[in-house]
Amino acid sequence: MPKFRHGFRVNWVDTDALAVVHFSNYFRYFEKAEQEFYERHGKKEAEVMKEMNLAFPRVDAKCTYESPLHFGDEAETELSLSRISDRSVSIDFEIRNVTEGKRAAHGSMTLVCVDTRSWKAVSIPAEIREMFSSMG
Amino acid sequence: MPKFRHGFRVNWVDTDALAVVHFSNYFRYFEKAEQEFYERHGKKEAEVMKEMNLAFPRVDAKCTYESPLHFGDEAETELSLSRISDRSVSIDFEIRNVTEGKRAAHGSMTLVCVDTRSWKAVSIPAEIREMFSSMG
Amino acid sequence: MPKFRHGFRVNWVDTDALAVVHFSNYFRYFEKAEQEFYERHGKKEAEVMKEMNLAFPRVDAKCTYESPLHFGDEAETELSLSRISDRSVSIDFEIRNVTEGKRAAHGSMTLVCVDTRSWKAVSIPAEIREMFSSMG
Amino acid sequence: MPKFRHGFRVNWVDTDALAVVHFSNYFRYFEKAEQEFYERHGKKEAEVMKEMNLAFPRVDAKCTYESPLHFGDEAETELSLSRISDRSVSIDFEIRNVTEGKRAAHGSMTLVCVDTRSWKAVSIPAEIREMFSSMG
């Protein structure tokens, strides 16, 4: 199964005074790919959150930086499922600098499924579990 | 009456690849000074919002950029009341680059008082009106 | 001549605790549309900046907020040229909430052409002037 | 030796539509504490970078989220040295929600000392090594 990939161009505002993307923004690129992953599955993350009273806050986030990204670079975030349990899901990501043909970074996130009314961890609904399981 | 001033040091993440503060961040500096203005008056903006079910979304924001800010520069935001009506308040701001002894930018904002339950404009409560009126 | 339009989906990170897009991010949406405008003309803004030693810092930015944007909303930024002089260009923008069929905001920016080696204002090169003039 | 601590108040713009601080901003809080750490040692990070032609890009960043931060919360970042080698330094951090008396997050970063002219890793200068070693 091919992995999910989301292509994008680096924004000016994402850079810092060293003329490279600020390290915190890689986590935002991951999050953007996550939103696009829902879209690819015909879902809107915003609607899932609202209709199911769910959110997926992160409990863990890490990233290893390999090569910088610059303004305007073509880049690509690849997501792959690393582990799914009853109430949480761990996703690995890679960000590639397509312009330079190099891997820019890789990392992982652990998301917990919470009910936004109680802010308590709950089981991931079957439909969402299925979606994540198809991630590759 | 002396004007309200909030001093700060420019963050690394606020800069862009030209090694100056990104223009959008000046609006965030204004907002930070606004939060500190509440504190100076013994209030917490977060509590005012929660207890009174109020928010002050912007209807208008503008800024003129005069001289760049750089990482680590000492800066200062000065707020002054330009106009207050029943449901809205207009605030002028100046941002000074203290390190370089220059004005960095000036601008203004118009904030409307809304009830966060209805998202409708409402009268600014007397206590908050008084606080804004003391801005100088 | 049809105006330039750039479609996008609102990011999670762009929202604030009122569950709407933070007002400062509208300026970043404008900037993103500007980058995509270069792409539409077969240019890369990053390369123009590097090869011509040019940058277009803002001297003026303003925005009027009409209707909020929420996470996941389909939106569209429309750019139109308001004025072009020897060394500066003023661009009007509108941001539409396509999901809700409403205008979210409108505003304008004035950009000055500077030589990044001297940080002095210089004439806009013919090729770039032509590009901006085709904005509609 | 007491550890380095930097106190701050959570900004409005740092929150997201769940009314908590966006997870990427914890990395920015870490960075802000790092800047203040230089100040505490009578140095300006910006001047160190400029005068020594040095930068400390991250090669690794991770964070575990324990309890949310909200707009206006009093918070505190604590830094402690975990490891220092010839060319890199690893720093652990904890972010505490002082308002709620809870730990909000903990994590670590590895920074590599690079020469900004060659973008190559170089030895950490003695003066900077000494500063980091005093971190506690």
Side-chain angles (χ1 to χ4, degrees):
Chain A
M1 187 165 43
K3 291 179 178 174
F4 173 78
R5 285 179 184 168
H6 168 246
F8 63 98
R9 263 193 283 276
V10 171
N11 300 325
W12 175 258
V13 73
D14 296 345
T15 61
D16 65 27
L18 283 173
V20 298
V21 171
H22 189 265
F23 79 103
S24 65
N25 291 325
Y26 289 71
F27 294 103
R28 298 176 173 197
Y29 293 157
F30 168 85
E31 181 178 88
K32 184 65 182 175
E34 198 184 331
Q35 178 187 5
E36 295 300 321
F37 175 72
Y38 279 79
E39 296 279 340
R40 187 80 56 89
H41 284 264
K43 293 184 200 300
K44 297 204 164 292
E45 194 179 356
E47 287 173 13
V48 167
M49 292 178 74
K50 206 179 297 176
E51 287 161 18
M52 297 189 169
N53 296 299
L54 289 182
F56 286 90
R58 275 93 254 259
V59 287
D60 221 273
K62 67 178 173 188
C63 188
T64 300
Y65 303 92
E66 297 170 89
S67 172
L69 286 165
H70 313 89
F71 172 51
D73 280 352
E74 298 283 338
E76 192 177 68
T77 306
E78 182 180 279
L79 302 182
S80 56
L81 183 72
S82 113
R83 202 181 61 90
I84 187 159
S85 71
D86 182 46
R87 301 175 170 199
S88 74
V89 54
S90 297
I91 300 172
D92 290 337
F93 68 92
E94 276 194 23
I95 299 176
R96 269 190 287 275
N97 186 329
V98 176
T99 300
E100 300 191 351
K102 288 182 186 169
R103 189 158 77 165
H106 68 277
S108 66
M109 301 274 166
T110 300
L111 288 57
V112 169
C113 184
V114 303
D115 186 303
T116 48
R117 293 159 302 184
S118 65
W119 204 255
K120 291 253 158 68
V122 294
S123 297
I124 302 171
E127 179 187 344
I128 303 299
R129 170 181 306 281
E130 211 174 298
M131 181 189 74
F132 281 132
S133 299
S134 77
M135 194 176 261
Chain B
M1 186 165 45
K3 290 180 178 174
F4 174 78
R5 286 181 182 165
H6 168 246
F8 64 97
R9 262 193 283 277
V10 171
N11 300 325
W12 175 257
V13 74
D14 296 345
T15 61
D16 64 26
L18 284 173
V20 297
V21 170
H22 190 265
F23 79 102
S24 64
N25 291 326
Y26 290 70
F27 294 103
R28 298 176 174 196
Y29 293 158
F30 168 86
E31 180 177 89
K32 185 64 181 175
E34 197 186 331
Q35 178 187 6
E36 294 301 320
F37 175 73
Y38 278 79
E39 296 279 340
R40 187 80 57 88
H41 284 264
K43 294 184 197 302
K44 297 206 164 291
E45 193 178 356
E47 287 173 12
V48 168
M49 292 178 72
K50 205 180 298 178
E51 287 161 17
M52 297 189 169
N53 297 299
L54 289 183
F56 286 89
R58 275 94 253 259
V59 287
D60 221 274
K62 66 179 174 190
C63 188
T64 300
Y65 303 92
E66 298 170 89
S67 170
L69 286 165
H70 312 90
F71 172 51
D73 281 352
E74 298 284 337
E76 193 177 67
T77 306
E78 182 181 279
L79 301 183
S80 57
L81 183 71
S82 114
R83 202 182 61 90
I84 188 159
S85 71
D86 182 45
R87 300 175 171 201
S88 74
V89 54
S90 297
I91 300 171
D92 290 337
F93 68 91
E94 277 193 23
I95 299 176
R96 269 192 286 276
N97 186 328
V98 176
T99 300
E100 300 191 351
K102 288 182 187 168
R103 191 159 76 165
H106 67 278
S108 67
M109 301 274 165
T110 300
L111 288 57
V112 169
C113 184
V114 303
D115 186 304
T116 49
R117 294 160 300 186
S118 65
W119 205 255
K120 291 251 157 69
V122 293
S123 297
I124 302 171
E127 179 188 344
I128 303 300
R129 170 181 305 281
E130 211 176 298
M131 180 189 75
F132 281 131
S133 300
S134 79
M135 194 177 260
Chain C
M1 187 164 45
K3 289 178 178 175
F4 174 78
R5 286 180 182 165
H6 168 247
F8 64 96
R9 262 193 283 276
V10 170
N11 299 325
W12 175 258
V13 74
D14 296 345
T15 60
D16 64 27
L18 284 173
V20 297
V21 170
H22 189 265
F23 80 102
S24 64
N25 291 326
Y26 289 71
F27 295 103
R28 298 177 174 196
Y29 293 158
F30 168 85
E31 180 177 271
K32 185 62 181 177
E34 197 185 330
Q35 179 186 6
E36 294 301 320
F37 176 73
Y38 279 80
E39 295 280 339
R40 188 79 58 88
H41 284 264
K43 293 183 199 301
K44 296 205 164 292
E45 193 178 356
E47 287 174 12
V48 167
M49 292 178 72
K50 207 179 298 176
E51 286 161 18
M52 297 188 169
N53 297 299
L54 289 183
F56 287 90
R58 274 95 252 260
V59 286
D60 221 275
K62 65 178 173 189
C63 188
T64 299
Y65 303 92
E66 298 170 89
S67 171
L69 285 165
H70 312 90
F71 172 51
D73 281 352
E74 297 284 336
E76 193 177 68
T77 306
E78 183 180 279
L79 302 182
S80 57
L81 184 70
S82 114
R83 204 180 60 89
I84 188 160
S85 71
D86 181 45
R87 299 174 172 201
S88 74
V89 54
S90 297
I91 300 172
D92 290 337
F93 68 91
E94 276 193 21
I95 298 176
R96 270 191 286 276
N97 186 329
V98 176
T99 299
E100 301 191 350
K102 289 182 186 169
R103 190 159 76 165
H106 67 277
S108 66
M109 301 273 165
T110 301
L111 288 58
V112 169
C113 184
V114 303
D115 186 304
T116 49
R117 293 161 300 185
S118 66
W119 204 256
K120 290 252 158 68
V122 293
S123 297
I124 302 172
E127 179 187 344
I128 304 300
R129 170 181 305 280
E130 211 175 299
M131 181 189 74
F132 281 132
S133 299
S134 78
M135 194 177 261
Chain D
M1 186 164 43
K3 290 179 179 175
F4 173 78
R5 285 181 183 166
H6 168 246
F8 64 97
R9 263 193 282 276
V10 171
N11 300 325
W12 175 258
V13 74
D14 295 346
T15 60
D16 64 27
L18 284 173
V20 298
V21 170
H22 189 265
F23 79 102
S24 64
N25 291 325
Y26 289 71
F27 294 103
R28 297 176 174 197
Y29 294 157
F30 168 86
E31 181 177 89
K32 185 64 182 176
E34 197 185 330
Q35 178 187 6
E36 294 301 320
F37 176 74
Y38 279 79
E39 296 279 340
R40 188 79 58 87
H41 284 264
K43 293 184 199 299
K44 297 204 165 291
E45 194 178 355
E47 287 174 12
V48 167
M49 292 177 73
K50 206 179 298 178
E51 287 161 17
M52 297 187 169
N53 296 300
L54 289 183
F56 286 89
R58 275 94 253 258
V59 286
D60 221 273
K62 67 179 173 189
C63 188
T64 299
Y65 303 92
E66 297 170 270
S67 171
L69 286 165
H70 312 89
F71 172 51
D73 281 352
E74 297 284 336
E76 193 177 68
T77 306
E78 183 180 279
L79 302 182
S80 58
L81 183 71
S82 114
R83 203 181 61 89
I84 188 160
S85 71
D86 182 44
R87 298 172 173 204
S88 74
V89 54
S90 297
I91 300 171
D92 290 337
F93 68 92
E94 276 194 23
I95 299 176
R96 269 191 287 276
N97 186 329
V98 176
T99 299
E100 300 191 350
K102 290 181 185 169
R103 190 159 75 165
H106 67 277
S108 66
M109 301 273 166
T110 301
L111 288 58
V112 170
C113 184
V114 303
D115 186 304
T116 48
R117 292 160 302 187
S118 66
W119 205 254
K120 290 252 158 70
V122 294
S123 297
I124 301 171
E127 179 188 345
I128 303 299
R129 169 181 306 281
E130 211 174 297
M131 180 189 75
F132 281 131
S133 298
S134 79
M135 193 176 263

